């Protein structure tokens, strides 16, 4: 009996290994839990395009929006764990969501096989171009004075734009009316049209419009200015030193995806980040690329655990305010 079990286990291992060797034999779907054209989508498409070349099969993007990205990630977490459905998660879906959704249908630390970090994206405080404040101090004072007359946009509870503005609002004492969108792409259109007043958004979504003057940037929430937006002061320079936040985007597969397949996907993602054209495209948008030690699956697994631990108390306090 024991021998039969060993033989079965050996056959299963052989089949698994053979599968990984031939993987992929069909297109890979990468679920993006926000609207097309926003930061998550742009990063997923840039790395996905290069991963397609490495893997020899198209990596196609599917945008499944809703509930601050948690709708798409819930569906992705339930997909068959065969490497053909993966997802681009971020600081909100895999770091903040547990603090903000008591009934979250997935556990970011347990229900995924991390593939790898794709990019860091510093947060920028932006407003419609004619917002009546010349700098961050005036902006903060205006928000405080005008309360719910001010309209702040975000991409749903737990989205980066929501959680980071919860923090900003709690720090400056703002209490705006909030409007929910399916992603930062549509937020940007409404900011440019002057239909909303401000947002806390990721740099990757904003560089072109800030440079063109079609929206106004008050500060970047990173320790140093971005090389692509050298005129935008840091929050420390602008008088809000405690507001520091760089979001991140990372690829994940559903739990149970074979390790060999995750290794292949991780390598393809790493090659995308090292590809000169992909790298340049990401850097031109202000993304911060992961260093080598930040690229492994296990590194990402630990990072997610730490992010949940970091955000849960901060967001509980800030949301309560
Ligand atoms: C997006 O891709 O639209 C954003 O990442 C949304 C957000 O998290 O604010």
């Amino acid at each position: 009996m024991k021998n039969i079990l060993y033989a079965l286990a050996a056959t299963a291992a052989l089949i698994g290994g053979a599968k990984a060797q031939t993987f992929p034999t069909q297109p890979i779907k990468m679920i993006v839990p926000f609207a097309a054209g926003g930061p998550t989508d742009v990063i997923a498409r840039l790395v996905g395009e290069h991963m397609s070349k490495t893997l020899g099969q198209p990596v196609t993007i599917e945008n499944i929006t809703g509930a601050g990205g948690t709708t798409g990630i819930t569906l992705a977490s339930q997909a068959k764990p065969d490497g053909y459905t993966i997802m681009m998660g971020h600081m909100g879906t895999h770091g903040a969501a547990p603090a903000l959704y008591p009934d979250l249908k997935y556990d970011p630390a347990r229900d995924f096989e991390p593939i790898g970090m794709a990019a860091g994206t510093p947060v920028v405080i932006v407003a419609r171009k004619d917002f009546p404040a010349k700098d961050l101090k005036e902006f903060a004072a205006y928000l405080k004075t005008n309360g719910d007359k001010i309209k702040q946009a975000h991409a749903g509870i737990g989205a980066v734009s929501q959680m980071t503005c919860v923090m900003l609002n709690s720090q400056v004492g703002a209490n705006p009316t909030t409007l929910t969108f399916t992603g930062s792409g549509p937020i940007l259109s409404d900011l440019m049209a002057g239909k909303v007043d401000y947002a806390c958004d990721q740099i990757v979504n904003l560089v072109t419009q800030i440079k063109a003057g079609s929206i106004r940037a008050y500060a970047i929430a990173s320790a140093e200015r971005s090389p692509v937006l050298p005129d935008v002061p840091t929050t420390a320079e602008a008088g809000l030193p405690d507001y520091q936040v760089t979001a991140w985007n990372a690829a994940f597969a559903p739990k149970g995806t074979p390790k060999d397949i995750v290794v292949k996907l991780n390598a393809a993602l790493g090659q995308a980040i090292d590809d000169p054209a992909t790298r340049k495209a990401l850097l031109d948008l202000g993304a911060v690329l992961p260093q080598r030690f930040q690229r492994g699956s296990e590194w990402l697994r630990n990072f997610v655990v730490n992010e949940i631990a970091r955000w849960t108390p901060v967001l509980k306090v800030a949301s309560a305010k």
Side-chain angles (χ1 to χ4, degrees):
M1 184 62 182
K2 237 186 193 174
N3 286 347
I4 295 174
L5 287 177
Y6 284 145
L8 281 176
T11 314
L14 270 178
I15 293 170
K19 261 193 194 155
Q21 267 171 26
T22 52
F23 175 88
T25 56
Q26 63 187 67
I28 295 167
K29 182 164 70 180
M30 188 188 286
I31 292 181
V32 166
F34 293 101
T40 316
D41 182 74
V42 166
I43 291 168
R45 283 177 201 271
L46 281 171
V47 296
E49 197 185 327
H50 194 271
M51 287 172 77
S52 304
K53 289 186 202 158
T54 306
L55 295 166
Q57 287 287 343
V59 175
T60 59
I61 304 297
E62 189 176 330
N63 301 86
I64 302 178
T65 67
T70 60
T71 303
I73 298 297
T74 300
L75 283 173
S77 73
Q78 293 160 356
K80 194 171 170 196
D82 57 4
Y84 291 105
T85 303
I86 60 175
M87 72 211 80
M88 187 60 79
H90 76 356
M91 185 173 81
T93 58
H94 284 73
L100 300 169
Y101 288 93
D103 58 348
L104 192 63
K105 297 283 184 300
Y106 60 85
D107 179 342
R110 294 221 190 117
D111 294 340
F112 302 91
E113 305 300 342
I115 296 172
M117 183 61 75
T121 55
V123 165
V124 185
I125 303 168
V126 284
R128 60 181 159 84
K129 66 173 187 284
D130 51 356
F131 196 86
K134 73 171 182 320
D135 56 24
L136 187 63
K137 280 194 178 138
E138 276 190 26
F139 172 77
Y142 194 91
L143 292 191
K144 208 170 167 182
T145 313
N146 287 278
D148 64 4
K149 278 190 256 160
I150 306 288
K151 288 183 242 160
Q152 179 231 310
H154 67 68
I157 306 292
V160 167
S161 48
Q162 190 263 344
M163 60 178 283
T164 57
C165 256
V166 164
M167 285 164 55
L168 175 74
N169 295 340
S170 94
Q171 284 190 26
V172 303
N175 192 16
T177 298
T178 53
L179 301 172
T180 308
F181 292 74
T182 54
S184 298
I187 290 176
L188 185 59
S189 308
D190 272 22
L191 259 186
M192 287 164 66
K195 292 185 191 162
V196 294
D197 293 307
Y198 76 104
C200 307
D201 198 7
Q202 298 160 72
I203 189 167
V204 168
N205 199 36
L206 307 166
V207 171
T208 313
Q209 282 71 23
I210 293 172
K211 281 185 176 159
S214 41
I215 57 171
R216 191 161 193 168
Y218 285 111
I220 183 162
S222 50
E224 282 167 19
R225 293 188 183 204
S226 168
V228 296
L229 289 175
D231 298 335
V232 176
T234 64
T235 41
E237 290 171 327
L240 203 59
D242 290 343
Y243 189 69
Q244 299 269 338
V245 53
T246 290
W248 49 268
N249 285 264
F252 297 85
K255 188 180 174 69
T257 304
K259 183 151 180 33
D260 299 12
I261 289 179
V262 174
V263 167
K264 268 198 174 176
L265 291 166
N266 171 277
L269 175 60
Q271 277 180 255
I273 296 166
D274 285 336
D275 168 62
T278 310
R279 213 178 158 77
K280 182 176 180 327
L282 288 165
L283 291 173
D284 284 351
L285 293 171
V288 180
L289 300 182
Q291 296 179 44
R292 279 203 186 275
F293 78 93
Q294 298 167 317
R295 298 214 194 153
S297 295
E298 286 314 306
W299 184 89
L300 179 56
R301 192 184 295 282
N302 291 330
F303 181 73
V304 166
V305 171
N306 291 337
E307 283 289 273
I308 297 166
R310 174 164 85 111
W311 286 116
T312 301
V314 173
L315 289 171
K316 288 210 160 138
V317 171
S319 310
K321 276 197 199 167

